[in-house]
Amino acid sequence: MNALTAFSLWSQRNRWIWAAIGVLLLWLVLSIVTNRFSLSSLSGIILSASFLTIVGIGQMFVVTTGRGNIDLSVASVITLSAFVALLTIKGEDANLAIGVAAAILLGLAVGALNSLLVVGLGIPAIIATLATGYVLATATLLSNRAISGFTVSPALKYLASGRISGVPVMAVIAISGVAATSFVLRYTVFGQLLSAVGQNRTAARLAAIRTGPVIASAFIISSVLASLNGLLLGAYIGGAFLEMGQPYLLQSIAAVVLGGTLIFGGSATAVGTLFASILLILIVTTMQIIGLPPGAQDIVQGIVVIFVLALAGRQAMIRRAPVEPTGGDAAVPAGDRQP
Amino acid sequence: MSQSAVADQDRAALAALAAPVRQSVVSLTGITKSFGPTLANAGIDLCVGAGNVIGLVGGNGAGKSTLMRILCGAMWPTLGSISFADAQVNFADYGTAEAQRQGIRMVHQELSLCANLSVAENFFLETPQDAAARPGWRTVYRARARAALDAVFPGNGIDADAEVGHLSIAERQMVEIARAAATPGVRLIVLDEPTSSLDLDRSKQLRAFIRERAKAGLAFIFISHKLQEIIDIATEIVVLRNGRTAWQGEVADASIGGLVQLMGGDANPVHQHAVSTASAQDVLVRLSGPLTSELGRDIEIVRGEIVGLAGLEGSGQKELLHGIFSPHAKQNGTVTRHAQAGFIAGDRQKEGVFPLWSVLGNISIGALARRPALGLVSDRANREMAAGAASKLRLDDSRFQSNITELSGGNQQKALVARALVADTPIILLDDPTRGVDIATKQDFYRLCNEIARSGRALVWHTTEDAELLACDRVLVFAGGRIVRELAGDAITESAVVGASFAQPADRHATARHKDAPAARLGRRLVDAAPFIGLAAVLTVMISANPAVASIFGLDLLLMPALSLVLVTAAQMFIVGGSEIDLGVGAFAGLVSVLSATLLYDQPWLGALALVAALAAYAGLGGVIQARKIPAIVVTLGASFIWVGLGYALQPTPGGASPEWLSALFSWSLGFVPTSIILIAAVALIVFVIDRLPLGVVLRGFGNNPTAMIRSGWSPTRYALVRYLIAGLFASAAGLSLTAINTASDINSGNSFTLLSVAAAVMGGCSLLGGIISPVGAVAGAVTLSLIGALLGTLNVSSDFNAATQGLILIALLTLHSLTADRRSEQ
């Protein structure tokens, strides 16, 4: 009993554990029920999850800035970046540096544009990034026409799909990214400022935090990571196609929320995003193995997101319930009264 | 001890005296309310008889607001009971709606009017039962508003059709008081600081009105910190202190001095004038320009002094604090700051605490904020730094690891002071820091402020408690946004402050209304006219390129496809009106289209059933969003996957067929007007009518001020359902139109509508903050946007640029809006 309460306290602070438990359980069930799951299929799942994790980490930074901020341009950035990579690298390792530089530049440019719209002009993040996404969609169409052939540089191909003694290189990249992000969030001033801005933006401003640059850097991180991910994803699938980034739109948000990052901002967990990415890929893979049509897969993903949010929404409400009797005008709405 | 004994005696005597004489309106017995470890109310009894005017006094945090919230059904007590003249009511069945039914109305300090509605419509929100869904229903409320305002405040000159957002604070206060007073069947009106923004004449009018209505049997509870008013108007006085009744009795037995003592505010709390040791050369802040024009000289704030900011609430004190904190913001040049400034907010929930963090985290952020972003954080360094500050504050450092929200208000405030101390700024700005802090902590706080000032810092202190000004070395009194008086040393008295506060109430209107530059007005007109200019421009270009477009057939060909977007825009507009955005509305239209081209075509009954089920799911989504308080954007994005998934499952590739009756709906013709124009106009008309109905007013009210709506007894979840149901109906109509126009269905056919509908709504003048529905503008916007593709074709531009053009138009519009928005809100 004591251990149970201790765990529940601990799990409140370490919300990533739920996604980890989810992965473990689903994995166990699958390996017992079917005999098609093996260590090698796990490494395949981890490989797919690595791509999602990279986008998810970026999305997590944006979500953590609070006020319902979400980056809806990641899907277009991924697609466009894959095309840009094809155009710049042209399958030659010699051009790799140019390609990577182009991808980073693309991310920086889109991130700067998003920040300008959100921070500079005060446009709601959802609308601003959606609009940016549309502009990028045209750029993608244009680059699609300019493509001469689908060849991928061998070095990039190795990064995206190679293995080091069975472990996908991508997984190493993703896990080091997660480790670095965890460190930044926990042990750097930036991580603390980000959390403060996400929890209470007014209070952050009054504590002399320059909120604009903090929020802007979150958007820039998100775009750069999405762009790098597009580069690698393009190498992995050996080309690029329109709409290739589309699945990452909802999945990246789902990975963030499922992993235990608060959708209202202020608290992020990179490890949670990693486990949630694995869990999501596991769910999708399961659906494919069962033979569900693509439509049904969409439905399940949508339901998972709404369900998790509905649960998380409750949690955040409890946490943020006013404890102060004289908290000014923080009126308690009729629906939320505790007898 | 002795005091409470006295209170008990008095209470008993009073009960014996009052109970049999007057008919009781409501009585609260043994009300106790705990918030975690703190008792906001402890065993309070309150009996209100017909015709009573009860003056309720007590310091901030004495429990007045909590008690009144319980009385009005906005909060449930931990213990205690409530009974009305006829019967005891169980608290479990008691809520805002029941309180209203019992005739209890409250006029809140922070106003509960919907700023986007007219005065008459705000009267409707309070008494909706007299409204009917027919044209001219507002007449009743217009007349009622007029009569009510004239009854309380003769000669007020407020137009019943004026938008509340355009009224001054005093006028809004008057509307709110009149609204409560005019409610049929009202038996008790609670007035929370009703005179805080009224000038003396209006205040007298109000008191005369109260006296008159009390004779007729209406009961009042009058909360005010202006004790002269209380003595003047009340028949009985109740004094609260630390959540308990400190005294209760007839007004004849009360005096101002006695009340002050009972409230716990010693008449002379901390008057220590720490006459500054620093030299006058050490100027940290200089105030000049229009701000000090009344004084005729600049004001300098130097090291080592405490400067108080006083005046009526909202006279410019907060603006000055924020102006000093970030001088570049607005007041160009009037504030010059020569050193770094820290800020201590009194509204801890909104502006102070970081609720997810421990006490330690909340303190150390003060220092972190001033370090380079890539620096490393060490718990031990933080702890050492915070411990130094905390020991000065007598804040127990064993509580560093507790979550900040577990602390009492006073200790939270100490943590915020500690935050300012670790930031180590020469200037510290305090924004009403003792709000909701108990009296012992307050005394601690005053002592601390003195110490901080003596250590060579300058404190600028805005307070709403006039008594606290006695702790200052200098006081600047504000009126109408300017400093009208400077008091120093022994000249600081409460009466001097109050006298100066009312110096020039007329000036406020002049300054508030005078700012509208012609350029800004032009910009705003341009934004308002954007959809129409855009539509005209697009049509002109297309007709000049191909005159055949201007024929009836040509227009129909061009505009019929726009109909679907117009319908989706109508749906999105209702969601945006509730300050949310639906990212799944286009996908939902696509799903309806698929349903109608497959199931509805093959098996009409099953199809109809499926449509109803989809609609119910869509409306239910709105209910979930409201009930769970989760972001609509993510939920609707998730839902869009469900809609698309369902569509794919039903129809993996485009196809199907339109039922004949459905096609017929969209293919009739009058011959002389394009059918599409009639249909589009009809949609605009339907939206317009819904918006003008009582229902539309309620929906707009929720979009603007949900708190006020809940206080008036409206159910947020029900209206979220209704809002999404209306939106769902329009989106379904859009889906049906897609099927009819394309004579087939494709689940992806609606996808592009989602962004376009938001763009069209914004283009038409809807604010993403909610509360505005503008049918004509949005429809014009939707038509313009849907013509972009055809326009690009006419201009021989590749259709690849379609998406970019639409995205850029949206960005451009929002930019325009945000550039003109500041001025708009000042209107």
Side-chain angles (χ1 to χ4, degrees):
Chain A
M1 196 58 199
N2 241 342
L4 204 66
T5 44
F7 174 76
S8 92
L9 272 177
W10 182 83
S11 69
Q12 267 174 20
R13 287 185 179 277
N14 300 276
R15 287 183 299 270
W16 56 267
I17 190 67
W18 299 113
I21 292 175
V23 170
L24 201 67
L25 283 183
L26 191 55
W27 177 255
L28 275 179
V29 170
L30 287 173
S31 4
I32 294 168
V33 172
T34 74
N35 41 18
R36 272 193 269 185
F37 275 83
S38 63
L39 224 51
S40 73
S41 67
L42 180 65
S43 105
I45 284 165
I46 300 257
L47 179 60
S48 307
S50 301
F51 288 105
L52 178 54
T53 304
I54 293 175
V55 189
I57 294 286
Q59 189 71 263
M60 184 182 77
F61 275 98
V62 173
V63 168
T64 306
T65 59
R67 299 230 174 140
N69 281 358
I70 289 173
D71 187 352
L72 295 181
S73 65
V74 287
S76 308
V77 174
I78 291 172
T79 314
L80 181 57
S81 162
F83 278 105
V84 168
L86 284 179
L87 285 173
T88 50
I89 301 175
K90 301 188 182 99
E92 307 281 339
D93 275 352
N95 296 332
L96 192 55
I98 303 172
V100 172
I104 291 176
L105 263 180
L106 173 69
L108 286 176
V110 175
L113 176 62
N114 283 337
S115 314
L116 175 73
L117 296 176
V118 174
V119 180
L121 294 170
I123 299 173
I126 302 115
I127 300 300
T129 54
L130 200 59
T132 319
Y134 268 61
V135 176
L136 294 179
T138 288
T140 313
L141 287 171
L142 296 180
S143 44
N144 186 28
R145 287 179 202 274
I147 288 289
S148 49
F150 295 106
T151 46
V152 174
S153 107
L156 205 56
K157 180 92 190 165
Y158 173 74
L159 280 184
S161 53
R163 280 161 211 268
I164 303 169
S165 61
V167 179
V169 180
M170 267 309 288
V172 177
I173 296 176
I175 288 171
S176 8
V178 167
T181 308
S182 299
F183 179 82
V184 167
L185 290 175
R186 175 70 184 80
Y187 293 107
T188 65
V189 173
F190 174 73
Q192 301 299 304
L193 300 188
L194 183 72
S195 171
V197 168
Q199 289 179 60
N200 189 339
R201 196 172 296 177
T202 315
R205 192 174 56 75
L206 293 177
I209 296 173
R210 292 169 63 224
T211 54
V214 174
I215 299 168
S217 40
F219 277 96
I220 290 172
I221 291 172
S222 172
S223 292
V224 169
L225 285 181
S227 186
L228 288 176
N229 191 59
L231 177 84
L232 291 164
L233 191 64
Y236 177 68
I237 62 174
F241 58 93
L242 299 176
E243 308 288 311
M244 68 182 265
Q246 216 51 40
Y248 288 92
L249 178 56
L250 184 69
Q251 282 189 353
S252 67
I253 299 169
V256 171
V257 179
L258 205 59
T261 296
L262 292 185
I263 190 75
F264 300 98
S267 167
T269 154
V271 179
T273 305
L274 172 68
F275 280 116
S277 300
I278 300 174
L279 182 59
L280 280 171
I281 299 293
L282 210 52
I283 292 173
V284 172
T285 316
T286 315
M287 289 190 292
Q288 281 164 354
I289 290 173
I290 299 172
L292 284 185
Q297 296 179 25
D298 283 340
I299 299 175
V300 171
Q301 288 189 43
I303 290 175
V304 167
V305 169
I306 295 180
F307 185 72
V308 170
L309 265 179
L311 284 182
R314 182 81 202 151
Q315 230 180 26
M317 269 159 61
I318 293 168
R319 267 201 78 75
R320 298 215 165 168
V323 291
E324 199 182 346
T326 44
D329 44 14
V332 179
D336 301 330
R337 288 176 314 197
Q338 305 291 328
Chain B
M1 269 313 268
S2 66
Q3 218 163 33
S4 79
V6 172
D8 281 342
Q9 256 176 25
D10 281 338
R11 199 187 307 160
L14 190 76
L17 188 82
V21 183
R22 288 206 201 95
Q23 189 205 351
S24 141
V25 174
V26 59
S27 63
L28 293 166
T29 322
I31 296 297
T32 297
K33 174 73 185 177
S34 65
F35 292 91
T38 34
L39 280 181
N41 284 172
I44 296 178
D45 296 332
L46 181 70
C47 177
V48 186
N52 278 7
V53 180
I54 296 182
L56 183 61
V57 297
N60 287 324
K64 293 173 299 189
S65 312
T66 308
L67 187 64
M68 288 305 110
R69 276 187 207 150
I70 291 170
L71 177 64
C72 296
M75 191 182 270
W76 284 335
T78 318
L79 290 172
S81 62
I82 186 168
S83 65
F84 293 89
D86 33 4
Q88 179 115 0
V89 175
N90 192 342
F91 264 114
D93 309 327
Y94 192 68
T96 42
E98 176 64 15
Q100 303 218 323
R101 218 181 53 73
Q102 293 284 359
I104 299 178
R105 285 292 186 286
M106 175 148 182
V107 177
H108 291 267
Q109 201 176 347
E110 74 282 11
L111 304 170
S112 335
L113 298 172
C114 291
N116 62 338
L117 303 180
S118 74
V119 173
E121 284 168 338
N122 270 290
F123 269 73
F124 152 72
L125 291 179
E126 201 66 19
T127 45
Q129 50 277 6
D130 301 320
R134 56 173 168 73
W137 63 272
R138 282 177 178 75
T139 329
V140 183
Y141 292 100
R142 215 171 280 137
R144 184 176 294 171
R146 228 3 318 134
L149 279 165
D150 288 341
V152 191
F153 301 105
N156 56 71
I158 299 172
D159 179 5
D161 284 321
E163 206 174 296
V164 168
H166 295 179
L167 302 179
S168 73
I169 305 246
E171 284 172 326
R172 289 188 212 187
Q173 180 83 63
M174 286 152 69
V175 170
E176 179 133 14
I177 293 171
R179 181 172 80 159
T183 318
V186 65
R187 296 158 73 196
L188 166 64
I189 297 178
V190 180
L191 298 161
D192 189 2
E193 300 284 2
T195 57
S196 61
S197 51
L198 297 183
D199 62 40
L200 206 57
D201 287 344
R202 297 291 178 212
S203 165
K204 278 184 185 155
Q205 284 182 344
L206 174 64
R207 279 178 273 162
F209 174 78
I210 292 177
R211 244 174 244 125
E212 188 188 314
R213 291 299 301 271
K215 274 190 208 129
L218 186 59
F220 289 89
I221 294 179
F222 195 99
I223 303 172
S224 177
H225 66 262
K226 295 177 189 165
L227 295 177
Q228 304 95 315
E229 281 183 2
I230 296 275
I231 300 268
D232 174 53
I233 188 68
T235 56
E236 282 171 33
I237 293 180
V238 174
V239 184
L240 294 188
R241 180 175 180 177
N242 293 337
R244 294 170 195 279
T245 313
W247 187 77
Q248 187 163 13
E250 297 288 323
V251 69
D253 305 332
S255 68
I256 292 185
L259 289 178
V260 169
Q261 215 156 35
L262 284 165
M263 284 159 62
D266 303 320
N268 195 1
V270 273
H271 202 219
Q272 303 184 13
H273 291 313
V275 179
S276 29
T277 48
S279 64
Q281 285 91 346
D282 224 355
V283 176
L284 295 179
V285 178
R286 181 190 302 276
L287 310 176
S288 55
L291 190 65
T292 56
S293 61
E294 296 290 326
L295 295 175
R297 62 192 153 81
D298 290 358
I299 287 183
E300 295 173 340
I301 297 172
V302 300
R303 255 180 219 285
E305 68 170 346
I306 306 178
V307 176
L309 307 181
L312 299 184
E313 236 176 312
S315 300
Q317 303 95 308
K318 271 182 180 258
E319 285 74 10
L320 177 60
L321 275 190
H322 287 275
I324 298 175
F325 185 66
S326 41
H328 308 293
K330 263 187 184 174
Q331 322 175 314
N332 18 353
T334 61
V335 177
T336 331
R337 172 155 69 78
H338 299 292
Q340 286 205 310
F343 200 102
I344 300 174
D347 189 344
R348 291 176 289 276
Q349 302 299 326
K350 276 193 195 154
E351 304 183 335
V353 301
F354 298 107
L356 299 177
W357 277 349
S358 66
V359 177
L360 180 62
N362 268 281
I363 294 175
S364 50
I365 189 72
L368 293 183
R370 288 163 207 273
R371 285 180 46 194
L374 291 177
L376 294 186
V377 178
S378 134
D379 270 356
R380 214 183 52 202
N382 282 348
R383 183 180 292 277
E384 279 163 12
M385 185 171 56
S391 65
K392 275 191 209 155
L393 297 167
R394 299 192 202 153
L395 181 67
D396 188 0
D397 66 1
S398 67
R399 302 204 64 179
F400 272 3
Q401 291 311 322
S402 319
N403 187 282
I404 183 89
T405 54
E406 289 163 18
L407 264 58
S408 70
N411 280 333
Q412 283 185 19
Q413 196 64 62
K414 282 184 181 175
L416 295 192
V417 176
R419 183 192 293 169
L421 288 182
V422 298
D424 199 22
T425 54
I427 306 168
I428 294 182
L429 309 164
L430 301 117
D431 185 8
D432 208 4
T434 56
R435 192 201 298 199
V437 171
D438 63 88
I439 191 80
T441 313
K442 270 184 192 169
Q443 298 293 359
D444 245 18
F445 196 81
Y446 301 140
R447 182 187 52 76
L448 182 72
C449 286
N450 251 314
E451 277 173 21
I452 296 174
R454 273 197 204 125
S455 71
R457 293 190 173 95
L459 266 59
V460 183
W461 185 338
H462 162 229
T463 172
T464 52
E465 261 183 82
D466 293 341
E468 288 186 350
L469 296 167
L470 301 178
C472 300
D473 303 315
R474 265 197 297 168
V475 171
L476 307 175
V477 186
F478 280 75
R482 300 193 176 167
I483 299 171
V484 292
R485 194 72 197 277
E486 181 183 8
L487 303 168
D490 293 336
I492 305 173
T493 60
E494 286 191 52
S495 58
V497 169
V498 171
S501 305
F502 283 102
Q504 0 161 267
D507 193 46
R508 195 184 324 189
H509 294 252
T511 49
R513 299 259 162 101
H514 211 68
K515 286 181 188 167
D516 226 2
R521 225 177 305 146
L522 184 71
R524 207 178 313 131
R525 291 238 177 88
L526 207 66
V527 170
D528 288 343
F532 305 105
I533 297 174
L535 184 56
V538 170
L539 282 176
T540 313
V541 171
M542 295 187 72
I543 291 172
S544 63
N546 178 5
V549 166
S551 68
I552 288 180
F553 177 73
L555 280 177
D556 237 2
L557 203 64
L558 205 58
L559 294 182
M560 204 46 141
L563 177 63
S564 307
L565 177 60
V566 167
L567 282 163
V568 175
T569 302
Q572 187 72 268
M573 188 153 54
F574 279 98
I575 307 291
V576 169
S579 70
E580 288 170 352
I581 291 172
D582 187 342
L583 290 184
V585 68
F588 184 75
L591 172 63
V592 170
S593 171
V594 167
L595 282 174
S596 61
T598 54
L599 279 183
L600 196 63
Y601 183 79
D602 299 328
Q603 294 154 292
W605 282 113
L606 190 62
L609 203 67
L611 282 179
V612 171
L615 195 59
Y618 186 86
L621 211 59
V624 170
I625 291 169
Q626 173 61 42
R628 309 294 301 182
K629 306 227 174 339
I630 42 185
I633 297 121
V634 191
V635 174
T636 52
L637 184 66
S640 77
F641 276 68
I642 301 182
W643 310 140
V644 171
L646 285 171
Y648 267 127
L650 277 167
Q651 192 193 45
T653 52
S658 168
E660 262 172 47
W661 58 267
L662 185 59
S663 306
L665 271 183
F666 293 87
S667 57
W668 48 272
S669 170
L670 284 184
F672 56 93
V673 192
T675 315
S676 55
I677 291 185
I678 299 178
L679 287 173
I680 289 172
V683 175
L685 185 69
I686 293 171
V687 175
F688 179 77
V689 168
I690 294 178
D691 185 47
R692 296 296 291 173
L693 287 178
L695 172 66
V697 172
V698 175
L699 290 180
R700 265 188 291 146
F702 268 112
N704 178 264
N705 191 346
T707 323
M709 296 302 290
I710 292 165
R711 278 181 189 157
S712 295
W714 299 91
S715 152
T717 310
R718 182 184 312 154
Y719 281 92
L721 279 170
V722 171
R723 180 189 306 283
Y724 275 79
L725 184 65
I726 295 175
L729 283 168
F730 278 107
S732 302
L736 295 176
S737 76
L738 276 174
T739 305
I741 294 165
N742 302 333
T743 64
S745 68
D746 172 4
I747 181 61
N748 289 318
S749 57
N751 287 357
S752 65
F753 290 161
T754 302
L755 175 78
L756 289 180
S757 65
V758 178
V762 170
M763 202 166 164
C766 299
S767 156
L768 290 175
L769 296 175
I772 302 174
I773 301 279
S774 78
V776 182
V779 165
V783 173
T784 311
L785 288 172
S786 72
L787 289 180
I788 298 284
L791 178 70
L792 292 180
T794 312
L795 298 175
N796 280 327
V797 177
S798 154
S799 64
D800 290 353
F801 288 94
N802 208 343
T805 314
Q806 290 166 343
L808 286 175
I809 288 178
L810 180 57
I811 292 177
L813 279 172
L814 285 167
T815 307
L816 255 176
H817 268 266
S818 85
L819 291 180
T820 51
D822 286 347
R823 296 181 181 94
R824 191 176 277 240
S825 60
E826 274 175 19
Q827 243 180 351

